[in-house]
Amino acid sequence: MSSLRPITAAAAGLLSAGIGLAPVPAAASLFQAKEVDGSKFILVAAPIGGGGSAQLNIYEQKKDTRPCYSREGDGPTVVKPLLATFDFTGICGRYMDSNGYSVRVGAQDFGSAMRMSVVPDDNDLLLMGTGRDGSTVVLARSGGMADGFLELKLEPGWSLKRRHYGVRALGHIYVHRDSLPEPASEE
C-alpha cells in the first residue's frame, strides 16, 4: 500500500467534520440500529488490484468454529483474511461495499448520501465519510502504513451497529455515532 498517494492539501482542508452533511430521513424511519459485540468485528483497508488503492471490508466472526482473520503488529496492524482460505458460510460475515455497510448518525441513515472511502494521509490510511457536498468526516484510521490488509480503528465516538427491520436483524452494518463530531477549530 505504500504506493498510495497522500490526500491533497485541498482535501485535507475538508477534514472539518460534518459541515453540510444532510441525512436521508426516509431511511431513518424504516430501519433501526442495534448494538453488536464489537469484538466480533474488524474494519479492514483491503488492497485493490496491485495495491495502489484500498477499499473498506468489514469482517465478522459469527461462530468460533475457525478464525475468520488474524492480526499482527500494532501501528499499523496487518490483517490476514483467513476466511479466504475456507468455506466460511455461517462462520464469518464479510461486508465489502455499500450494500453491506453505511454511515448512521443518531437515528439518521446517510445511505448513499455519504460515501465511505479509504484515503492515504501522510503515514496513515483514513476511512473517510464524504457527503454529497464534499464535506468529510474521519471515521477510522490505520495508525501507520504497510503492505497488505490493514486494520482500521474507529475514531472516538464511532461504533458498529447492525441494521434491523423491526425485530429482524439484517446483513448490513452501520458505522454509527450519536451525533457528528464538532468541526475542527481553525486557529
Side-chain angles (χ1 to χ4, degrees), residues 165-178:
Y165 180 71
V167 296
R168 185 172 170 223
L170 303 177
H172 188 93
I173 300 299
Y174 290 121
V175 176
H176 178 271
R177 188 177 165 106
D178 291 333

Side-chain angles (χ1 to χ4, degrees), residues 68-171:
C68 300
Y69 52 86
S70 66
R71 292 177 168 109
E72 183 179 307
D74 188 36
T77 300
V78 176
V79 176
K80 184 174 181 183
L82 302 173
L83 55 81
T85 65
F86 64 93
D87 178 7
F88 62 85
T89 307
I91 301 169
C92 309
R94 180 174 61 179
Y95 310 90
M96 299 175 55
D97 57 29
S98 60
N99 290 320
Y101 53 73
S102 62
V103 174
R104 184 176 176 114
V105 177
Q108 302 298 308
D109 184 347
F110 280 89
S112 63
M114 185 182 292
R115 183 177 57 84
M116 284 193 275
S117 57
V118 177
V119 180
D121 180 40
D122 293 327
N123 191 36
D124 208 354
L125 287 179
L126 304 177
L127 175 61
M128 302 294 297
T130 304
R132 288 187 178 140
D133 65 353
S135 56
T136 61
V137 60
V138 178
L139 308 168
R141 62 183 68 237
S142 65
M145 296 288 274
D147 290 331
F149 293 73
L150 299 180
E151 181 174 6
L152 295 167
K153 296 174 181 153
L154 291 167
E155 288 287 282
W158 292 96
S159 66
L160 297 180
K161 293 193 175 193
R162 184 175 302 280
R163 178 183 278 175
H164 280 250
Y165 180 71
V167 296
R168 185 172 170 223
L170 303 177

